[in-house]
Amino acid sequence: MAKEYEMIVLGLMRYFLGIKVKQRKVEIFMSQEMYIDDLLKRFHMSTCKPLSTPMAVNENLSKENGVELVDASIYRSLVGSLILSYQTTNSVLAVSIVSRYMNNPSKVHSGVAKRILRYVKRTKNFGLKYESENDCKQVGFSYND
């Protein structure tokens, strides 16, 4: 490509579209740590305590949850940002549940969405690790309860 196009070598990639990239000789690790830190700042939750689960057990949400409504545009922004963040198996279901209430969100719905954000804070260092190996095998693991 260098023969066809003028190129500048900027060194190893550190960030790409909000994804933090750590490159070493034998591995590449990618996480959304920077994106999640920005997300926590935007919703004033940088100092919140992280949680180990995205939703409370037996959380029952409905359209009639809570009488007091919150600003729908802020709620949509939060839920949309959670959709764009990487998804662990646990948080996919929780985000899909809170996304059902984007038209008329109440304080209860907003509280559940913020709980998911607290869970995402706990998992912000999770990511994908690519290792170079001579003996290539595809390995996968999933934990669903």
Side-chain angles (χ1 to χ4, degrees):
M1 284 183 64
K3 290 179 184 179
E4 290 290 321
Y5 303 101
E6 184 179 324
M7 298 178 76
I8 300 171
V9 178
L10 298 174
L12 294 177
M13 180 173 36
R14 291 189 190 106
Y15 295 101
F16 179 72
L17 298 175
I19 297 173
K20 185 176 182 179
V21 180
K22 292 181 185 175
Q23 296 184 49
R24 295 191 179 95
K25 204 169 202 168
V26 295
E27 72 180 23
I28 298 173
F29 182 76
M30 301 184 326
S31 71
Q32 285 190 317
E33 185 176 350
M34 183 179 145
Y35 176 76
I36 292 169
D37 284 337
D38 290 343
L39 190 62
L40 290 164
K41 285 178 195 168
R42 186 166 33 143
F43 293 102
H44 310 290
M45 294 187 67
S46 296
T47 59
C48 70
K49 283 177 64 175
L51 293 176
S52 58
T53 59
M55 285 185 81
V57 178
N58 297 325
E59 184 83 54
N60 293 319
L61 294 178
S62 69
K63 289 181 180 180
E64 290 78 34
N65 278 120
V67 180
E68 195 171 344
L69 299 178
V70 295
D71 185 356
S73 63
I74 294 172
Y75 182 80
R76 285 187 206 115
S77 178
L78 173 58
V79 174
S81 298
L82 289 171
I83 290 170
L84 292 176
S85 71
Y86 70 90
Q87 299 290 316
T88 63
T89 307
N90 294 336
S91 62
V92 170
L93 176 64
V95 172
S96 69
I97 289 172
V98 295
S99 67
R100 297 174 189 171
Y101 306 102
M102 289 219 215
N103 286 336
N104 293 314
S106 69
K107 278 197 167 187
V108 173
H109 302 129
S110 180
V112 174
K114 286 183 178 181
R115 180 186 172 98
I116 298 169
L117 189 55
R118 291 173 63 191
Y119 171 76
V120 169
K121 180 179 182 177
R122 180 180 175 270
T123 63
K124 74 179 182 177
N125 296 321
F126 290 12
L128 296 173
K129 181 177 170 181
Y130 297 98
E131 296 178 319
S132 64
E133 293 184 19
N134 293 336
D135 183 28
C136 293
K137 291 185 262 182
Q138 187 173 7
V139 178
F141 176 77
S142 176
Y143 175 75
N144 272 341
D145 212 1

